[in-house]
Amino acid sequence: MTASSQQYPELTVESVIDQLVGTVHGQARILVRPAELEAGMTLRLRRFLPRVSLLRYRDLAQDGSELGPERDAVTLPNDDPRHVECVVDLLPGAATRVYRLEWELNPDDHPAIGVRGQEALLFRAHLVDRGEDGVEEIREQGLIRIHWEDHSSAFDRWCRSTSTPEPLREALQELLLAEIQTPRTCELCHARDDLDLLLAQDRVWECSAEPELEEIRRLFVFRELAGLAETSFAGTIRTRHNHEDLSAQLAAARERQKARLIAYAPSGTDQLPAD
């Protein structure tokens, strides 16, 4: 293996292992960076339970710029329907081929699919080379796996993970702080706590607009519908002092909250907050 291939793995598999309970579809990226492009080099995918719903590729230059549009992967015919083989024939000037794989599971295929605490091997990826004598060599390999976790564990993972975008991680931390509030001495002061909590929720929503952050939005709405994010106040006494009128801001924030829940909640849910 050359120095180039030692610096950068020839085969890299990128996927999110931890997924929410019940998840039956997902995607992965497979990067092929051949140290030396040789005729007959192929990417072989050995699939287990999942069905391949999409497999496309795009070539990248050394600086990461895209070379042409994304294309459907060309697969080689073989006798095993659980093997998918793709020719790795990079375009001139290309250094990396990126495959985008989308997969789907059928819960009827195995009782462990989608169950909390269960784990499954989805795909085994091999970068295969064949010499002039026809002898096959597996240059590198990688795995695509899934582990199902509950909503609470998944939410905690987003809060702690260094892979969570920094603005979103900060917004999640602010939300958790807003949910643990010191009791106010005046009942009317609770409006400030309510508004702070709703604004913290707005911030999480704003920071999770990218398609790859869709999971955190689903978790976020589930916590509200399941009552996991409710905050209670105790020790209230009535006192006389001036209060800022927050009624308009609260009404607007609650409308934004209701719109989120309506958009993501199951149809016909009776768990939406009252006006």
Side-chain angles (χ1 to χ4, degrees), residues 175-249:
L175 174 63
L176 293 178
L177 288 175
E179 291 175 353
I180 307 173
Q181 300 170 6
T182 303
R184 299 278 186 168
T185 59
C186 173
E187 183 179 8
L188 295 178
C189 290
H190 291 173
R192 166 52 62 185
D193 291 325
D194 290 341
L195 181 59
D196 289 345
L197 179 58
L198 289 167
L199 293 179
Q201 293 173 349
D202 285 344
R203 175 66 175 157
V204 170
W205 203 254
E206 293 167 2
C207 294
S208 58
E210 299 299 325
E212 61 270 21
L213 301 177
E214 180 70 16
E215 181 192 2
I216 191 62
R217 285 195 161 193
R218 290 189 292 117
L219 290 170
F220 178 74
V221 169
F222 176 85
R223 292 177 81 246
E224 290 197 68
L225 292 176
L228 300 177
E230 289 185 356
T231 305
S232 59
F233 304 98
T236 298
I237 59 174
R238 294 185 179 277
T239 60
R240 287 176 171 270
H241 57 273
N242 295 327
H243 297 89
E244 179 184 1
D245 184 2
L246 301 175
S247 56
Q249 296 180 62

Side-chain angles (χ1 to χ4, degrees), residues 1 49 52 73 89 115-116 219 241:
M1 189 174 290
L49 286 174
V52 176
D89 51 352
V115 177
R116 174 186 175 186
L219 290 170
H241 57 273

Side-chain angles (χ1 to χ4, degrees), residues 130-136:
R130 292 181 179 86
E132 294 181 358
D133 56 3
V135 177
E136 182 177 287

